[in-house]
Amino acid sequence: MLSRPPPLPSQHAPPLTSVVAERIVSVIDVFITKCKILPILDESLLPSVDDSAFTNLLSSHLHLKRSYEQALEYENEDETTTLYEELAESTRNVIYHITKHPALQTQLLAIANKRNGHNNSTTQNNNNNNSKYGYASGYGYDEDEEEEEEEDGEQTYSVFVEYLSHLRHYLYLRLATSVEDQRMQQEKVRKLRALEKRHIAHAKALETKLQVVNMEYAEEMAKRDEIVEALEADLDVISHTAEQQNRLIMKESKMKEKHHKDTEANLKAQLTRRIAKLKEDLEGVQNSNMEMESKLRKRKIKLQSQISSWVMKYDQDMTEKQKEYDGIKSQYDKESEQLQKLNDTFNEIEVEYNTIMEERRMERERKKAAEEELQKMIRATLVIQTAWKKYIEKKKASKKSAKGKKGKKSAKKKKK
């Protein structure tokens, strides 16, 4: 049985750039659809389809299929050849009818996908059971061998369809790749190969360095071994000397131990006498402490009663203070609300006041600008009037001078 192909990588499919490529991909899609539908053309499909024409075609197709299988069993070559041709023609008719009815095709594809999913899960469970109970291929029970062969056939067919889907995917990518993209990919591969060569050379150089380092390490380890041997010899000498010193120290320690034991006996007798005296003192102190404890217990009881009365008084005072505080807080909340309302009112009035003041300021500026403009116009008018008057006077003066010159000329003519 064919092994399943690896899953397709999830990537965005580029659009096709030619009509021929689209035609090729559509032909492959139709072929994959036919391959998915062919394994499910059996008797179990008749109740689930409502198309009467398809049901009739499928019934006749299944009848031819059974006849062909019987002819194969009886090994009748002539009848087998005739039935094979009729069965092929019937298969083409059924597939043609399915392709001409998209709704029927969609329904059959859904059934095929459902069966493929069920067969995959059944095969996985069978494999798990075989591995669980120790059965391998070629061993175990031989029951339902025909059903297993049919399931293997369907499984092989579904794997074949998956391989066709992979072929369609890679063919689609090849058709969608332009010449420029192919050149870019080849350039990337060339760069990757050059980079790989550089990495290999670098790895060889590193291996050479590693060998040199290993040799240096071996030499260093040999030197260190020599040092360790010398240190071990020194250590033997030191251990022999230490044993001699240890014997001397043990002898001295035994003498000191005997001296300490004698001193300890004397000290123990002294401490015994002191302990007896301290016990007597302890009894006296305990008696005095018991008397003091009884007095302190009485005082404690008295203080507890006083504390209880103080606590009750404190609770009463705090209850009154709490009521007073609650009243003040409620009054404060009311005044806070009034203050908030006054602040809101003040803010609104302030906004109106600022608006009015801004309008008044703008009005003053406008009036001031109008007055300045009026003053400029008045000054300009005065300047124009003055200039006009001077011009009139100058014109009159020029006319008088012209008349005087004409009178003089006429008098001279008369004298002549």
Side-chain angles (χ1 to χ4, degrees):
M1 185 176 67
L2 289 174
S3 61
R4 291 190 175 276
L8 289 172
S10 59
Q11 59 182 2
H12 178 68
L16 297 174
T17 56
S18 65
V19 179
V20 177
E22 291 179 355
R23 177 60 182 167
I24 293 170
V25 173
S26 65
V27 169
I28 294 176
D29 288 337
V30 171
F31 181 66
I32 291 172
T33 302
K34 292 178 180 179
C35 290
K36 287 181 179 180
I37 292 173
L38 277 175
I40 66 169
L41 297 177
D42 52 14
E43 289 84 356
S44 62
L45 193 64
L46 294 173
S48 58
V49 178
D50 297 332
D51 193 341
S52 59
F54 173 74
T55 304
N56 295 330
L57 286 173
L58 182 59
S59 299
S60 60
H61 172 75
L62 294 175
H63 178 71
L64 286 173
K65 184 178 179 182
R66 286 192 293 270
S67 301
Y68 176 70
E69 291 174 353
Q70 291 176 358
L72 286 175
E73 291 178 0
Y74 294 126
E75 296 181 356
N76 189 348
E77 294 182 0
D78 296 334
E79 187 178 358
T80 301
T81 304
T82 304
L83 288 174
Y84 177 78
E85 293 176 355
E86 293 178 357
L87 183 62
E89 182 66 25
S90 175
T91 304
R92 284 192 289 271
N93 292 333
V94 172
I95 294 298
Y96 180 77
H97 181 80
I98 293 171
T99 54
K100 290 299 180 181
H101 295 79
L104 178 62
Q105 181 177 344
T106 304
Q107 183 181 2
L108 294 178
L109 283 175
I111 295 171
N113 293 329
K114 186 176 180 180
R115 289 191 183 181
N116 287 333
H118 176 70
N119 291 334
N120 293 337
S121 61
T122 304
T123 304
Q124 184 66 29
N125 292 331
N126 291 335
N127 293 334
N128 293 335
N129 292 330
N130 291 336
S131 61
K132 178 179 180 182
Y133 295 105
Y135 301 134
S137 59
Y139 299 93
Y141 296 105
D142 294 332
E143 296 177 356
D144 299 332
E145 290 183 356
E146 294 181 357
E147 293 181 359
E148 291 179 359
E149 290 178 358
E150 289 179 359
E151 290 180 357
D152 291 341
E154 292 179 358
Q155 187 72 12
T156 304
Y157 211 86
S158 65
V159 174
F160 173 69
V161 171
E162 289 185 12
Y163 274 105
L164 284 177
S165 299
H166 280 64
L167 176 63
R168 186 258 185 204
H169 173 73
Y170 292 120
L171 182 61
Y172 183 93
L173 293 179
R174 180 63 184 84
L175 292 172
T177 304
S178 61
V179 178
E180 186 65 26
D181 294 338
Q182 210 167 14
R183 289 176 182 173
M184 291 174 64
Q185 290 177 0
Q186 292 175 356
E187 183 66 19
K188 287 181 181 178
V189 171
R190 187 185 64 77
K191 290 181 180 178
L192 289 173
R193 287 179 178 172
L195 183 62
E196 184 180 5
K197 289 181 181 179
R198 289 198 297 271
H199 287 171
I200 291 171
H202 185 62
K204 290 181 178 178
L206 291 176
E207 288 178 355
T208 305
K209 289 182 180 179
L210 181 61
Q211 292 177 358
V212 173
V213 170
N214 288 332
M215 293 175 64
E216 293 177 353
Y217 177 74
E219 294 176 356
E220 183 68 22
M221 289 302 295
K223 293 179 181 179
R224 291 187 179 184
D225 290 338
E226 294 177 356
I227 294 170
V228 169
E229 290 177 356
L231 290 174
E232 286 178 351
D234 294 338
L235 183 61
D236 292 336
V237 175
I238 292 169
S239 61
H240 181 69
T241 306
E243 287 178 358
Q244 292 178 354
Q245 291 179 355
N246 191 20
R247 285 195 294 270
L248 293 174
I249 291 169
M250 289 295 293
K251 186 176 180 181
E252 291 178 358
S253 63
K254 287 180 180 179
M255 293 175 64
K256 289 181 180 180
E257 183 179 1
K258 185 178 179 182
H259 175 71
H260 287 319
K261 283 182 179 179
D262 296 337
T263 306
E264 182 182 359
N266 296 327
L267 184 60
K268 185 177 181 181
Q270 293 177 3
L271 290 174
T272 303
R273 290 192 296 271
R274 188 176 178 183
I275 288 169
K277 185 179 179 181
L278 289 172
K279 283 182 178 179
E280 293 177 356
D281 295 340
L282 178 62
E283 289 178 357
V285 171
Q286 285 179 347
N287 293 328
S288 63
N289 286 339
M290 288 177 67
E291 293 176 358
M292 183 63 71
E293 184 179 0
S294 63
K295 292 179 181 179
L296 291 174
R297 285 182 181 279
K298 293 177 181 178
R299 185 179 178 187
K300 179 184 175 182
I301 293 169
K302 183 179 179 181
L303 290 174
Q304 285 179 349
S305 63
Q306 291 178 357
I307 289 170
S308 299
S309 63
W310 290 344
V311 168
M312 291 176 65
K313 185 178 179 182
Y314 174 78
D315 291 338
Q316 292 176 358
D317 293 341
M318 288 306 295
T319 303
E320 294 176 358
K321 295 293 183 182
Q322 184 66 35
K323 291 179 180 179
E324 184 179 354
Y325 170 75
D326 293 337
I328 294 170
K329 189 174 183 304
S330 62
Q331 185 67 26
Y332 172 76
D333 293 337
K334 292 178 182 179
E335 291 178 355
S336 298
E337 291 178 359
Q338 292 178 358
L339 179 62
Q340 184 65 34
K341 290 179 181 179
L342 292 174
N343 285 330
D344 295 338
T345 306
F346 174 75
N347 291 330
E348 293 176 359
I349 294 172
E350 185 179 9
V351 170
E352 293 178 358
Y353 174 76
N354 291 332
T355 304
I356 292 170
M357 293 304 293
E358 182 67 20
E359 291 177 354
R360 290 180 178 179
R361 184 185 64 77
M362 293 174 67
E363 183 66 22
R364 286 196 300 270
E365 290 179 356
R366 187 182 62 76
K367 288 181 178 181
K368 184 177 179 181
E371 289 178 358
E372 290 178 355
E373 185 68 23
L374 181 61
Q375 292 296 328
K376 288 181 182 179
M377 292 175 67
I378 290 171
R379 286 195 295 271
T381 303
L382 293 174
V383 170
I384 292 169
Q385 288 178 353
T386 305
W388 179 254
K389 287 179 181 180
K390 288 182 180 180
Y391 172 74
I392 295 298
E393 291 176 355
K394 188 176 180 181
K395 190 175 181 182
K396 288 180 179 180
S398 62
K399 286 182 179 180
K400 288 180 180 180
S401 61
K403 288 180 180 181
K405 288 179 181 179
K406 289 181 180 179
K408 289 179 181 179
K409 287 181 181 179
S410 61
K412 287 180 180 180
K413 287 179 181 180
K414 287 179 180 181
K415 287 179 180 179
K416 290 177 180 182

